[in-house]
Amino acid sequence: MRRTLAPVRPELNRRTFVGASFAVTGAVAASPLLAGCSAPEDPDSGQTARVRLQVNGQPTDVTVDTRTSLLDMLREDLNLTGTKKGCDQGACGACTVLLDGKRVVSCLTLAAMHDGAEIRTIEGLADGGRLHPLQQAFIDTDAFQCGYCTSGQIMSGVGCIAEGHVGSDAEIREWMSGNICRCGAYTNIVAAVSKAARGV
């Protein structure tokens, strides 16, 4: 008597399902290239722009890729490394600078959009060998620990004072809330901004 065997069906379990999913995903991802589609554009082929700025009181002329952030231009092209790259998402405030007198997070600001602007960074606060009052206040009140956020805190504090948001410690905290200090030196930072604002 001849026995007919039923076709063997592979057992479907988590391992085989995941393996099959990866195979399908890989095939779908590769299909445009296999179909003769062109590869993505070369990331280094962006356009450039000439940007003329006043940086810390000095006329500056620099040619940058149009996708370059103000932060990267300052650090990479002008070697002004006092402005720190923290989160690179505008959330920590370490890269704060003054743009036409207003504080901005430079990691989210395109350099090419600000031709003719005036930029002030931490390197441009001191007057010769004399520290800016807020820089001195940070020293006097011990308002920093690791120091990584300090330049952004000081630049934001200078903006906060110029904007007049220094009526109370609570107001200073509110208007400085975009600047993160991972060491937790907030009490002393507020004291430094208050001290500089009072001119004492």
Side-chain angles (χ1 to χ4, degrees):
M1 176 174 159
R2 187 174 179 183
R3 181 177 294 174
T4 304
L5 297 176
V8 178
R9 295 184 180 177
E11 182 182 354
L12 182 62
N13 57 31
R14 184 172 56 187
R15 185 182 301 262
T16 57
F17 177 77
V18 170
S21 298
F22 279 129
V24 170
T25 303
V28 170
S31 60
L33 294 176
L34 295 175
C37 293
S38 59
E41 183 180 331
D42 181 0
D44 295 326
S45 64
Q47 295 181 343
T48 59
R50 186 177 177 187
V51 185
R52 298 169 191 84
L53 304 160
Q54 285 282 330
V55 180
N56 297 327
Q58 298 296 320
T60 304
D61 193 324
V62 61
T63 299
V64 296
D65 187 295
T66 54
R67 299 163 295 184
T68 301
S69 68
L70 181 58
L71 171 62
D72 286 337
M73 184 198 74
L74 291 170
R75 290 181 59 84
E76 306 299 331
D77 295 303
L78 303 181
N79 201 32
L80 295 172
T81 56
T83 304
K84 301 302 182 188
K85 181 176 280 197
C87 65
D88 214 21
Q89 297 176 356
C92 74
C95 67
T96 303
V97 298
L98 299 180
L99 173 64
D100 291 330
K102 298 180 189 274
R103 43 189 175 156
V104 298
V105 283
S106 57
C107 69
L108 296 184
T109 306
L110 289 175
M113 294 178 64
H114 297 289
D115 186 46
E118 181 180 344
I119 310 294
R120 188 161 299 276
T121 71
I122 192 70
E123 292 91 344
L125 279 188
D127 183 9
R130 184 178 183 182
L131 293 177
H132 185 280
L134 186 53
Q135 290 175 305
Q136 187 61 56
F138 262 67
I139 295 170
D140 295 342
T141 62
D142 196 23
F144 51 89
Q145 291 185 43
C146 80
Y148 196 82
C149 74
T150 303
S151 59
Q153 297 278 2
I154 291 175
M155 297 309 296
S156 187
V158 169
C160 186
I161 293 169
E163 294 159 12
H165 299 301
V166 288
S168 66
D169 285 358
E171 185 177 13
I172 293 170
R173 285 191 186 93
E174 175 69 23
W175 288 91
M176 290 287 292
S177 61
N179 291 78
I180 306 300
C181 172
R182 300 204 182 274
C183 300
Y186 294 111
T187 300
N188 294 7
I189 290 170
V190 170
V193 174
S194 179
K195 177 181 173 71
R198 296 194 313 268
V200 297

